[in-house]
Amino acid sequence: MQELHDAPLAPLTTFRLGGPATRLLTATTDAEVVEAVRAADDSGTPLLVIGGGSNLVIGDKGFDGTALRIATKGFVLDGTTLELAAGEVWTDAVTRSVEAGLAGLECLAGIPGSAGATPIQNVGAYGQEVSSTITEVVAYDRHTHETVTIPNSECAFSYRHSRFKAEPDRFVVLRVRFELEEAGGLSAPLKYPETAHAMGVQEGERVRAAAARETVLRLRAGKGMVLDPEDHDTWSAGSFFTNPILDREQFEAFLARVTDRLGPDVTPPAFPSGEGGTKTSAAWLIDRAGFTKGYGTGPARISTKHTLALTNRGAASTEDLLALAREVVAGVHEAFGVTLVNEPVTVGVAL
């Protein structure tokens, strides 16, 4: 297991931000992951687990403790059952599943990060979420000091949330198992209007899984959501804010604010979500509150391709990023009475 001291963490994040860790360990096997976690817990040392670093905002002062980078490998496909080691690059795993002719992950192409992070965030995009194909998660339980297998029914999946996110200091994901679909090379039924429109079909239809993957990659790239070291619009965490889910009373108050600000002919995006809930678009809120593409004059700005992405233009600090995030949150709340919630995990800082 590789060990470094006073190790830079910024290169391990897609934001390329954050100070150093007191110690950085890189684990390449499940046993090394468990060993490192146990040692930190036994000694009372603060522990930061890092996968692909695509959903992480680290403070400029860094992390006073042990950072553990999970770099395990393992792609095992048995019929339609797929098992991924936590350190597998997610977008590569999606590509391989599509090449194997299986459906269920094709619309999750291009999402940066590692496989182990997908159940934590219940990663989703373009009408698919990993919760619909995950069967179980193998994790180290820091409370019971044992490796456990947690079935989907006990993962408490919901929109961008899970049991693992709710209990961030308990479970360290080691492996994720999926059940995919053999559909003769076709995709799962398309559920997202933008994807279906881009492919010239109706929602609910199937297309070639490889074509669906390529279409999603093209759509994501157009929004700066596919990593490119030469493109500062991708020096981000992708969507920085989750789409707000409002109860009936909150939604009615929101509609009244929209009418007051934008006029009676403007209808905001609205989608049913749970019992009595309505999901609206964070990107729409940000744009209509006056924070358009490219907003900002400093080294941290809104992406020129998508209002939901906050970006490091190359010389930003974490405080620069947070100042922009706070400005957006305050502006949206003032305009519409809705409080945006950050999607990335923050370390040593908070909005």
Side-chain angles (χ1 to χ4, degrees):
M1 188 157 44
Q2 185 187 67
E3 179 175 345
L4 299 173
H5 293 268
D6 195 27
L9 295 180
L12 302 182
T13 74
T14 52
F15 265 124
R16 295 168 171 81
L17 296 176
T22 305
R23 184 174 70 149
L24 172 64
L25 301 177
T26 299
T28 57
T29 67
D30 290 355
E32 288 181 349
V33 172
V34 172
E35 175 190 348
V37 174
R38 280 179 173 165
D41 289 347
D42 289 346
S43 64
T45 303
L47 179 69
L48 171 63
V49 177
I50 300 176
S54 60
N55 202 44
L56 196 58
V57 178
I58 299 173
D60 293 318
K61 292 182 179 180
F63 183 70
D64 185 12
T66 295
L68 171 62
R69 177 173 171 261
I70 297 181
T72 53
K73 297 297 180 184
F75 179 103
V76 180
L77 188 60
D78 182 8
T80 56
T81 300
L82 172 64
E83 179 181 280
L84 297 177
E88 280 289 327
V89 176
W90 174 251
T91 194
D92 292 347
V94 172
T95 299
R96 293 177 69 179
S97 74
V98 171
E99 289 174 344
L102 299 177
L105 303 181
E106 59 280 353
C107 291
L108 301 176
I111 295 176
S114 62
T118 60
I120 298 172
Q121 194 74 3
N122 186 17
V123 163
Y126 294 95
Q128 287 184 342
E129 288 183 331
V130 292
S131 57
S132 66
T133 50
I134 287 176
T135 56
E136 54 191 21
V137 176
V138 180
Y140 175 68
D141 187 335
R142 297 169 68 183
H143 289 186
T144 64
H145 313 292
E146 60 183 354
T147 298
V148 296
T149 299
I150 303 172
N152 181 296
S153 60
E154 296 178 15
C155 291
F157 287 125
S158 61
Y159 172 65
R160 299 296 180 271
H161 200 68
S162 69
R163 179 182 182 183
F164 311 105
K165 189 173 181 179
E167 301 179 79
D169 297 323
R170 180 168 182 179
F171 297 104
V172 177
V173 175
L174 301 174
R175 296 188 171 265
V176 188
R177 294 175 180 143
F178 303 81
E179 182 61 33
L180 305 180
E181 180 187 5
E182 172 54 65
L186 296 179
S187 70
L190 298 179
K191 296 180 180 180
Y192 200 71
E194 184 181 8
T195 315
H197 177 75
M199 302 200 71
V201 300
Q202 299 296 314
E203 290 178 59
E205 291 189 41
R206 294 177 184 263
V207 296
R208 301 298 299 177
R213 173 185 169 275
E214 290 300 322
T215 298
V216 166
L217 286 173
R218 186 174 69 253
L219 291 172
R220 290 185 64 87
K223 300 173 184 178
M225 298 292 186
V226 176
L227 294 181
D228 179 352
E230 302 302 317
D231 181 2
H232 284 284
D233 278 329
T234 74
W235 290 32
S236 74
S239 300
F240 195 87
F241 301 103
T242 58
N243 290 323
I245 298 176
L246 310 176
D247 63 27
R248 186 174 291 103
E249 183 178 342
Q250 291 171 329
F251 186 66
E252 289 176 356
F254 167 55
L255 290 178
R257 296 286 286 267
V258 170
T259 298
D260 290 343
R261 182 179 178 90
L262 304 175
D265 297 330
V266 175
T267 302
F271 311 94
S273 181
E275 294 184 7
T278 301
K279 183 191 297 183
T280 191
S281 165
W284 187 92
L285 289 168
I286 293 167
D287 182 74
R288 294 306 182 96
F291 302 100
T292 53
K293 296 174 183 177
Y295 178 89
T297 58
R301 304 179 194 176
I302 290 178
S303 166
T304 66
K305 299 182 179 72
H306 200 290
T307 54
L308 202 48
L310 308 187
T311 67
N312 171 11
R313 307 316 292 185
S317 66
T318 301
E319 278 306 310
D320 292 326
L321 175 76
L322 294 177
L324 175 61
R326 292 174 186 132
E327 182 183 1
V328 171
V329 170
V332 167
H333 189 270
E334 180 180 0
F336 300 111
V338 176
T339 300
L340 294 178
V341 176
N342 53 290
E343 186 168 329
V345 175
T346 56
V347 177
V349 292
L351 289 188

